[in-house]
Amino acid sequence: MKALIARLNHETNTFSPVPTPLEAFAPTYGEQAWQANKGMRTAMAAFIDLAEQWGASLVTPVSAMANPSGPVDAGAYAQLTQRIVDAAPGCDAILLDLHGAMVAEGSDDGEGDLLARLRAAAPGVPLAVALDLHGNITEKMVRNADVMVGFKTYPHVDMYETGEHAGRLLGQMLRGEARFQVCWRQLPLMSHTLRSTTLEGAMRDAVDAARALEAGGLPAATVFAGFSLADIAAPCVSVVATCRAEALESAQAAVDALAQQIWQRRSGYVYRSEPLADSLRRAAGLARGATRPVLLLDHGDNCMSGGTCDTMDVLQAALAQGLSGIAVGPVCDPQAVAQLIAAGEGAQVEIALGNKVALQRIGLHKQPLVLRGTVGAVSDGSYTVTGPIYTGQRCHMGRSVRLDTDAAQIVVTEQTHEPWDLGVFHCVGLDPTQARFVLLKSRMYCRPVFVPLSAGLVECDSPGVTTSDYGRFPFEHVRRPVYPLDAL
């Protein structure tokens, strides 16, 4: 038996000015693609483990993952997808680790178009897909997959388990034990990312209901929150099930019922931001008498949703309110990094920091924040994640510098980077647990590590391309009416 296994992940924010060329994916091919995933916690790793247990011959044409950013370059999309399509003929099984919210230049449905091409290249070959919880599901995706399973956690800690689930069902097909079909229901509901956490609220309850359906015999059920920062027809919530072909009618009824439950609680998927000044006043109150730092999460500029990682609104407002003892990081500003390194450790500097990437799609052009301080430390910006997300992975932020000012110590990097771990600060000699405030450009992924070390958490919505304020986005292609853009 010959199994095609590939990974191609990108969550596209169509409003983001951050480009997505081929090199953003850091693709690996063939044997290197296998090595990049074997022993890791990706869905592709689970596919590899299962296929090896089956005794299959593995074909791994590509493994590629880029951080969320703007639409994928047409050439990059063509090259990466063509490698997968070209590998399909002659294979007996296809297992794909995809995201589900990819938009490329020339394709609003990156995954759907890929799956349709694979069906044409390998008709009748069983095909399983593992997807991110934030996938924007389409009819083309559903029609061209035999098995579809998505993450059930956000923060995402079940990537491997999702791949194992999808692969296990495909294994049943290969052994002739079952024929599967995918059914779904999409809602006119654009959820906010901060209301898609599975730790609480309406989303947690919906995911629990999906788990109950599986416990009751449905092979797979997933609630996809969608990714609303994509100006496509339906960046919306969907309920998807993989069912036995002979039980399609009852499975569709279960999917419809769960979708109706979600719709009845649609307000629970909407995040209402408070004014930034109010958030910072609340943070100052939490810090009084605290022995641990207060987290300030700048979710308006989160690189894992396509943010530039260089907007300075939250730091500027915090300084204006007199907050001090702030550990900040990382701020992406390659120009500032070069200037600070040229000045040298210990040098007194005046620097224009951040706000250098124009946010043209949302009509914002900001001025850098001028700061005076000392170059505290310089490093290569590398660290190893201690967990629980991407445990053991080696991360690289590019050359990184610690800038020490009277009120803040700032980690400035050459590359955008999600603060997965304390290593973001440790690599430049900074212990964030000793700060009064820790300002992170993050929504959710930082929480498993940083929340247990903090005295409290305050979400700060700044005017960036990942803000929760939908009013800042000039949606042109979204199918209307849709909640909460419209009163439904």
Side-chain angles (χ1 to χ4, degrees):
M1 184 172 60
K2 194 174 181 181
L4 189 165
I5 299 174
R7 182 185 188 201
L8 179 55
N9 291 170
H10 189 255
E11 181 180 77
T12 306
N13 179 335
T14 62
F15 301 99
S16 173
V18 181
T20 315
L22 180 64
E23 53 266 29
F25 287 91
T28 54
Y29 308 111
E31 176 73 14
Q32 289 185 331
W34 179 90
Q35 292 176 349
N37 287 273
K38 180 65 177 176
M40 301 298 290
R41 296 293 300 167
T42 63
M44 183 169 173
F47 293 155
I48 289 170
D49 289 346
L50 283 170
E52 290 178 343
Q53 290 172 21
W54 301 337
S57 171
L58 272 60
V59 179
T60 54
V62 65
S63 175
M65 190 278 287
N67 282 343
S69 49
V72 178
D73 173 79
Y77 178 74
Q79 178 172 328
L80 294 171
T81 56
Q82 194 63 48
R83 282 182 175 271
I84 298 172
V85 173
D86 287 347
C91 289
D92 304 293
I94 300 173
L95 301 104
L96 299 179
D97 178 347
L98 305 178
H99 183 283
M102 177 187 287
V103 177
E105 295 172 347
S107 173
D108 280 356
D109 185 5
E111 286 86 359
D113 289 343
L114 169 61
L115 294 179
R117 290 164 60 197
L118 279 168
R119 278 297 196 207
V125 175
L127 191 157
V129 185
L131 297 170
D132 191 287
L133 174 145
H134 294 106
N136 288 327
I137 309 304
T138 67
E139 178 65 34
K140 191 178 288 187
M141 293 166 65
V142 169
R143 189 170 64 247
N144 289 292
D146 296 297
V147 173
M148 184 177 290
V149 185
F151 303 162
K152 287 186 172 65
T153 63
Y154 180 50
H156 306 316
V157 293
D158 65 335
M159 291 177 279
Y160 183 94
E161 289 75 12
T162 299
E164 193 279 332
H165 189 168
R168 175 165 36 86
L169 295 182
L170 194 76
Q172 293 180 29
M173 292 186 68
L174 295 173
R175 294 189 296 273
E177 298 170 1
R179 289 187 307 114
F180 292 118
Q181 191 167 338
V182 180
C183 61
W184 73 310
R185 181 67 63 199
Q186 189 170 69
L187 293 159
L189 169 60
M190 292 170 59
S191 70
H192 279 99
T193 305
L194 279 169
R195 287 292 176 263
S196 62
T197 175
T198 57
L199 300 175
E200 61 184 7
M203 187 64 182
R204 180 189 61 187
D205 294 344
V207 170
D208 285 347
R211 292 184 189 276
L213 290 177
E214 292 177 348
L218 195 61
T222 306
V223 177
F224 289 96
F227 183 64
S228 60
L229 302 183
D231 191 13
I232 59 176
C236 295
V237 173
S238 298
V239 180
V240 176
T242 298
C243 64
R244 293 181 179 273
E246 65 272 19
L248 178 61
E249 186 175 345
S250 61
Q252 186 66 59
V255 164
D256 292 345
L258 178 50
Q260 182 59 31
Q261 293 174 32
I262 292 171
W263 183 247
Q264 290 172 351
R265 295 187 63 186
R266 57 190 176 277
S267 63
Y269 295 85
V270 177
Y271 181 85
R272 310 288 183 186
S273 298
E274 65 181 339
L276 179 56
D278 292 350
S279 298
L280 293 170
R281 277 191 286 271
R282 189 156 52 84
L286 289 172
R288 294 190 189 101
T291 58
R292 293 183 292 175
V294 174
L295 290 184
L296 307 174
L297 298 193
D298 179 7
H299 59 91
D301 185 27
N302 170 221
C303 76
M304 290 306 289
S305 292
T308 59
C309 217
D310 90 320
T311 66
M312 305 306 294
D313 302 82
V314 177
L315 177 58
Q316 194 165 3
L319 296 175
Q321 285 202 21
L323 273 60
S324 61
I326 313 169
V328 185
V331 173
C332 179
D333 188 336
Q335 181 181 340
V337 168
Q339 293 172 343
L340 293 169
I341 291 176
E345 290 188 11
Q348 301 292 312
V349 296
E350 180 176 280
I351 195 89
L353 184 64
N355 286 348
K356 295 188 173 109
V357 181
L359 310 180
Q360 295 179 346
R361 287 295 311 278
I362 63 172
L364 290 178
H365 298 77
K366 306 178 183 184
Q367 295 300 311
L369 176 61
V370 177
L371 295 170
R372 292 181 179 85
T374 304
V375 180
V378 175
S379 85
D380 65 0
S382 298
Y383 68 92
T384 301
V385 178
T386 58
I389 302 173
Y390 294 128
T391 307
Q393 181 169 305
R394 190 70 177 163
C395 290
H396 308 276
M397 303 187 294
R399 294 185 302 170
S400 301
V401 182
R402 189 185 82 231
L403 174 64
D404 298 336
T405 71
D406 289 341
Q409 293 181 290
I410 307 165
V411 181
V412 189
T413 65
E414 289 185 309
Q415 300 173 15
T416 61
H417 191 77
E418 172 71 24
W420 305 109
D421 193 83
L422 293 172
V424 166
F425 295 98
H426 290 169
C427 72
V428 290
L430 177 55
D431 181 359
T433 65
Q434 300 304 306
R436 294 187 67 234
F437 302 93
V438 176
L439 200 173
L440 303 173
K441 289 181 174 293
S442 180
R443 291 187 193 275
M444 198 63 59
Y445 291 113
C446 68
R447 299 189 189 209
V449 169
F450 286 90
V451 167
L453 305 175
S454 72
L457 181 155
V458 176
E459 293 161 345
C460 301
D461 196 354
S462 64
V465 293
T466 70
T467 175
S468 296
D469 180 4
Y470 284 162
R472 290 190 175 272
F473 300 102
F475 290 106
E476 298 176 353
H477 303 295
V478 173
R479 188 185 305 125
R480 309 290 286 266
V482 62
Y483 186 82
L485 299 187
D486 304 295
L488 294 175

